[in-house]
Amino acid sequence: MFNITALRAQDTTFLRQVRSELQKTWPHNRAVNLVFHGHSVPAGYFATPVVNTLEAYPQQVLKGLKEKYPNAVINVIVTAIGGENSVKGAERFSSTVLIHQPDVLFIDYALNDRAIGLEKARAATEQMIREAQAQHIPVILLTPSPDISTDWKSAGNPLRLLRDQIVTLAKQYKTGLLDTYDIFLRQADVKPLMAQNNHPNEKGHRLIAEGILHWF
């Protein structure tokens, strides 16, 4: 069962305008663009090099939204690149993300940001948040999914530190937050949710998608 610990009191109004658009019917509706920016997990990599696009959480979110909003026109646009970190994601942010005019932007880089460290990850994530908010685009930050080859649950583990930093950024910039780390932490056994050490399988992606769907 999904635990709604990631949602805060103001979240009921955070996507109010987007939810209103999703409820409109032809000829008064328009396409709603959901953009998923990040690394290999939103890109759909399961057991590398296999890319299971249709089972990855962006497409599972689309399926869930179509069940809830059958008259909506929804574009799921995935700008994620396997192996990328937030510094690289920020460098191409304007040309490959903002160009799509997102109605909601999801940022999921923390798993790979271990390689660049907290300071660089924070600066790059802040840059993307500020650029999006300057265009009045709602941003939802995702904390990292597990890497079960590491001691990912420990307090001093880099994934935990990145998780805590993202939670802080969400509060500072009043973005949305999906605490993916916490969702997996609450599972009795994470191994059945993983396609490989650092990539969730379809069941793992479903947990992430369910968390996102609570925003809608």
Side-chain angles (χ1 to χ4, degrees):
M1 182 67 68
F2 174 72
N3 187 287
I4 318 178
T5 57
L7 307 184
R8 303 188 300 275
Q10 70 269 32
D11 296 343
T12 56
T13 61
F14 184 66
L15 295 183
R16 178 181 292 170
Q17 184 175 347
V18 175
R19 292 194 299 270
S20 176
E21 290 293 338
L22 291 170
Q23 293 175 49
K24 293 179 181 179
T25 59
W26 185 89
H28 306 293
N29 61 343
R30 64 170 178 82
V32 173
N33 293 338
L34 307 181
V35 177
F36 294 82
H37 193 46
H39 48 46
S40 53
V41 176
Y45 285 87
F46 279 38
T48 306
V50 175
V51 181
N52 289 3
T53 303
L54 298 181
E55 288 75 40
Y57 74 77
Q59 298 301 326
Q60 292 199 41
V61 168
L62 176 60
K63 182 178 179 180
L65 288 176
K66 288 304 300 175
E67 292 173 356
K68 184 175 179 61
Y69 303 104
N71 299 316
V73 178
I74 306 170
N75 295 325
V76 162
I77 302 163
V78 180
T79 59
I81 294 177
E84 190 173 74
N85 58 51
S86 60
V87 170
K88 295 295 185 181
E91 289 175 357
R92 62 184 180 88
F93 192 66
S94 178
S95 61
T96 62
V97 178
L98 296 182
I99 194 173
H100 294 295
Q101 299 181 311
D103 288 282
V104 186
L105 171 64
F106 301 87
I107 299 177
D108 185 359
Y109 272 112
L111 189 66
N112 283 5
D113 278 352
R114 290 173 293 176
I116 61 173
L118 289 171
E119 184 176 352
K120 289 182 179 179
R122 182 184 184 100
T125 303
E126 285 185 302
Q127 177 187 329
M128 291 186 282
I129 293 169
R130 289 195 298 265
E131 289 184 23
Q133 290 184 338
Q135 297 191 21
H136 308 289
I137 298 167
V139 176
I140 296 179
L141 301 177
L142 282 76
T143 64
S145 51
D147 180 347
I148 60 174
S149 69
T150 70
D151 185 18
W152 68 278
K153 298 180 181 180
S154 65
N157 185 273
L159 282 182
R160 176 69 190 216
L161 297 177
L162 283 160
R163 177 265 177 193
D164 293 344
Q165 179 166 276
I166 290 169
V167 171
T168 299
L169 287 172
K171 292 177 181 177
Q172 178 182 345
Y173 287 94
K174 296 181 172 58
T175 72
L177 173 70
L178 182 68
D179 195 347
T180 306
Y181 182 97
D182 184 68
I183 291 171
F184 279 84
L185 189 64
R186 291 172 177 270
Q187 306 307 307
D189 187 2
V190 172
K191 287 184 179 180
L193 302 173
M194 305 300 290
Q196 64 180 39
N197 287 340
N198 61 340
H199 290 161
N201 60 21
E202 183 176 0
K203 291 181 179 179
H205 277 267
R206 187 176 305 130
L207 286 177
I208 302 172
E210 288 173 354
I212 291 172
L213 287 168
H214 276 282
W215 286 94
F216 296 89

